[in-house]
Amino acid sequence: MSRFKNEVTHLQAHVKTLRLGAAALFVVALLLGFGWWSAPKSLTIHVPPDLRSGSTRQWWDVPPESVYAFTFYIWQQAQRWPTNGEEDYPRNLHALSAYLTPSCRAFLQQDYEYRRSNGELRQRVRGIYEIPGRGYGDDPTLRVQAVSASNWVVTLDVSADEYLGAEQVKRALVRYTLKVVRMDVDPERNPFGLALDCHASVPQRIELPSAPSPASHPASAGSHLQGEAP
């Protein structure tokens, strides 16, 4: 009789073990399902048009070529006033808000207020473009400096042209040193996962070297710029 009783006890213990195992598997399945549901449906992978290192790179790595292209494109759009700076400048800040850090947008808003109060925006048309020979490919180490895996300093050498009606009122050769940070918080509005954090240092007025001649010397940084602000 005791043999049958021991067998029943053994079977009951085995059933209890199976039930505990099934419960544990159910909990694991729930956790896996939650992880699958909360996982991102897409990842942004930066593949620059530079085949020296092939196309193999870590998915979270942002190459300097992509950082420079992002910085120049967003900054150029922010500084573009196609018809009237008094209306275009604030519209640019609103349209590009997802690509600017809150502190950078506040700084540019103050810049807008300053320029408007000085009469530098009304009916002004403005655009900036990269100075030939001073792009990323001409000096990559100067153009993009990696501070960390999520912070960069980008140097842009651009020409800023402003017009009032048909008359050109300003042509400035400017060096902008801008901060860029990783800010992957809104992939719907900012698929790059990067944001401008405005100036790392004060913009510099620059001059291009004059044409070589026996008596000529390269021009140094100077103040060949009309107006108060670049």
Side-chain angles (χ1 to χ4, degrees):
M1 190 69 178
S2 60
R3 183 169 64 85
F4 293 104
K5 186 177 181 179
N6 291 336
E7 186 66 23
V8 171
T9 302
H10 175 71
L11 291 175
Q12 289 177 342
H14 184 61
V15 170
K16 183 178 180 180
T17 302
L18 292 177
R19 288 174 178 173
L20 291 175
L25 289 176
F26 180 72
V27 172
V28 172
L30 285 179
L31 294 175
L32 291 175
F34 176 76
W36 190 8
W37 178 80
S38 60
K41 295 179 175 60
S42 61
L43 293 173
T44 300
I45 300 177
H46 299 266
V47 181
D50 184 357
L51 300 181
R52 290 177 298 177
S53 58
S55 59
T56 301
R57 62 175 64 245
Q58 298 165 333
W59 69 265
W60 62 84
D61 178 44
V62 183
E65 299 93 327
S66 297
V67 175
Y68 182 87
F70 166 84
T71 305
F72 178 71
Y73 178 76
I74 299 301
W75 191 249
Q76 185 181 52
Q77 293 301 305
Q79 300 294 317
R80 171 63 174 151
W81 311 335
T83 56
N84 180 6
E86 200 167 37
E87 299 176 356
D88 296 332
Y89 199 175
R91 183 167 56 243
N92 291 345
L93 298 184
H94 176 72
L96 299 172
S97 60
Y99 303 98
L100 306 172
T101 63
S103 60
C104 184
R105 185 176 181 185
F107 174 84
L108 293 178
Q109 185 66 33
Q110 292 177 356
D111 180 63
Y112 161 71
E113 299 291 346
Y114 174 80
R115 289 176 183 267
R116 186 180 64 171
S117 63
N118 286 348
E120 297 182 25
L121 296 178
R122 183 179 295 274
Q123 302 303 320
R124 290 286 186 101
V125 174
R126 175 183 169 98
I128 67 173
Y129 57 89
E130 191 176 72
I131 298 175
R134 297 206 174 193
Y136 176 81
D138 299 292
D139 194 348
T141 57
L142 170 66
R143 298 303 164 191
V144 180
Q145 299 177 14
V147 179
S148 68
S150 300
N151 294 270
W152 301 266
V153 174
V154 179
T155 301
L156 303 178
D157 285 353
V158 301
S159 177
D161 293 349
E162 290 188 18
Y163 292 84
L164 183 60
E167 181 181 357
Q168 184 174 12
V169 295
K170 179 188 291 186
R171 167 159 289 179
L173 303 181
V174 189
R175 170 166 291 179
Y176 291 108
T177 305
L178 304 171
K179 293 182 290 184
V180 181
V181 299
R182 191 189 299 267
M183 195 175 72
D184 194 8
V185 296
D186 193 351
E188 289 295 328
R189 298 181 60 201
N190 181 358
F192 296 98
L194 303 173
L196 288 183
D197 198 23
C198 280
H199 301 286
S201 61
V202 178
Q204 300 177 4
R205 302 170 182 181
I206 59 176
E207 292 183 358
L208 295 179
S210 58
S213 63
S216 66
H217 300 280
S220 57
S223 58
H224 184 62
L225 180 66
Q226 301 177 34
E228 295 297 329

